[in-house]
Amino acid sequence: MLTSNGYVLDQSRLAELTVVPDRERADRQALRERLWRDGYLYLTGLLDPEVVLGFRRYYFELTGAVTDRASYRKVLFDQIVPGPEYAAFCAQPRLRGWFEWFLGGEPFLHKRKIIRQTAPGENGIGTATQAHYDLVYLREGSDQVLSAWIPLGDCPVSRGGLTYLEGSHHRVLEEEAAGRLKHPAASMTADLPGLADEYDARWLVTDYAAGDVVIHTAHTIHAALDNVSTGIRLSTDIRYQRSADAVDSRWQNHWHDQDGL
């Protein structure tokens, strides 16, 4: 049984996230067509697992000794988020180089980069990321921003990884074009089963491994599952775009949970 913010997902509305096959990994046109069709690219093993696990160890070396929320927030927002280790991880050659190749030009990495940690058993509305698409938070720049979701360590389904609403970007694009937006500048809902029924679509899930990366468009609806495992779920989500395109200036400061975005 899978849940998100306490809502039980309907088994008939679940399917497996599709991995980009090896034959397409070096075919930029095929990847672009797949991204347009599916709204995401699931790239297994794009990063070196040891680099990913090394950053995970660094993170817990700094946060593992804190005993209260205030101390944790200070370490996270004063040391880790603005630190050189995080900057290097997000701009590592395997990641930045992939975007440079895929975009066909100089890539631009948004400074606002997010780290999410969820412990086993944490629950309540808002614990898991609610359903949304990224453009509602990035309206002052290009709508061609691409997000990279990176599990910082193995993340089986039970640990609360990201889930995507199948084909949702096509409907979102239509609603954007027609001006029929219902939920601007906010998450859509915590009720993933209800949203799946509304869209007549399935939530796509999988067991992620260290080194995997999912690239998704700014129009693709996604959310997170509850962590019902025995381990901590740690991930980061960052955003690249073409450097020549319009940039949302609000995303050019380091992430903070009080930044209003």
Side-chain angles (χ1 to χ4, degrees):
M1 184 177 70
L2 300 181
T3 65
S4 178
N5 289 298
Y7 287 91
V8 178
L9 276 66
D10 186 340
Q11 289 293 324
S12 68
R13 294 286 192 188
L14 290 175
E16 186 79 12
L17 202 68
T18 301
V19 176
V20 173
D22 290 342
R23 66 180 179 275
E24 293 184 16
R25 294 286 289 256
D27 187 335
R28 184 163 54 190
Q29 185 57 35
L31 289 179
R32 288 175 174 172
E33 291 173 1
R34 177 179 285 271
L35 182 63
W36 169 253
R37 184 191 71 211
D38 296 345
Y40 70 88
L41 298 173
Y42 178 23
L43 301 166
T44 55
L46 180 65
L47 307 181
D48 182 346
E50 288 306 311
V51 172
V52 175
L53 295 175
F55 183 78
R56 182 184 177 92
R57 286 192 294 271
Y58 157 77
Y59 173 91
F60 283 114
E61 284 172 1
L62 291 185
T63 63
V66 299
T67 57
D68 60 90
R69 184 68 180 174
S71 298
Y72 167 75
R73 292 177 73 258
K74 185 172 180 58
V75 170
L76 178 62
F77 296 120
D78 291 356
Q79 291 182 248
I80 297 176
V81 168
E85 293 83 359
Y86 188 35
F89 180 85
C90 295
Q92 60 183 285
R94 285 199 186 186
L95 192 56
R96 187 185 187 282
W98 185 90
F99 277 101
E100 183 174 15
W101 170 77
F102 183 77
L103 295 172
E106 184 68 20
F108 177 83
L109 172 62
H110 287 254
K111 190 172 183 179
R112 188 176 189 266
K113 308 181 295 293
I114 300 170
I115 297 176
R116 304 186 190 277
Q117 175 184 321
T118 308
E122 288 188 30
N123 52 47
I125 300 298
T127 299
T129 301
Q130 299 181 53
H132 69 285
Y133 59 97
D134 291 346
L135 186 61
V136 296
Y137 301 103
L138 286 155
R139 291 211 181 276
E140 296 184 11
S142 169
D143 67 353
Q144 298 302 302
V145 176
L146 294 177
S147 297
W149 183 79
I150 307 169
L152 298 173
D154 293 345
C155 187
V157 171
S158 62
R159 194 161 288 179
L162 219 60
T163 178
Y164 291 87
L165 189 59
E166 188 176 28
S168 57
H169 60 301
H170 294 298
R171 176 166 164 177
V172 168
L173 280 163
E174 291 176 359
E175 293 180 343
E176 285 276 343
R180 296 194 304 265
L181 299 179
K182 298 178 182 178
H183 312 278
S187 295
M188 301 175 76
T189 181
D191 183 0
L192 270 56
L195 194 63
D197 288 341
E198 179 185 340
Y199 274 66
D200 190 20
R202 302 178 297 181
W203 286 103
L204 306 177
V205 300
T206 197
D207 293 321
Y208 301 103
D212 292 353
V213 178
V214 186
I215 311 295
H216 64 259
T217 76
H219 302 91
T220 305
I221 296 175
H222 54 286
L225 301 175
D226 292 331
N227 184 355
V228 295
S229 73
T230 58
I232 292 177
R233 181 264 208 177
L234 189 68
S235 68
T236 185
D237 48 288
I238 65 175
R239 285 146 192 90
Y240 273 95
Q241 66 172 74
R242 295 183 183 89
S243 60
D245 291 346
V247 171
D248 191 329
S249 61
R250 301 170 304 158
W251 281 66
Q252 307 322 307
N253 299 301
H254 287 302
W255 167 59
H256 193 284
D257 63 356
Q258 303 298 317
D259 63 13
L261 296 171

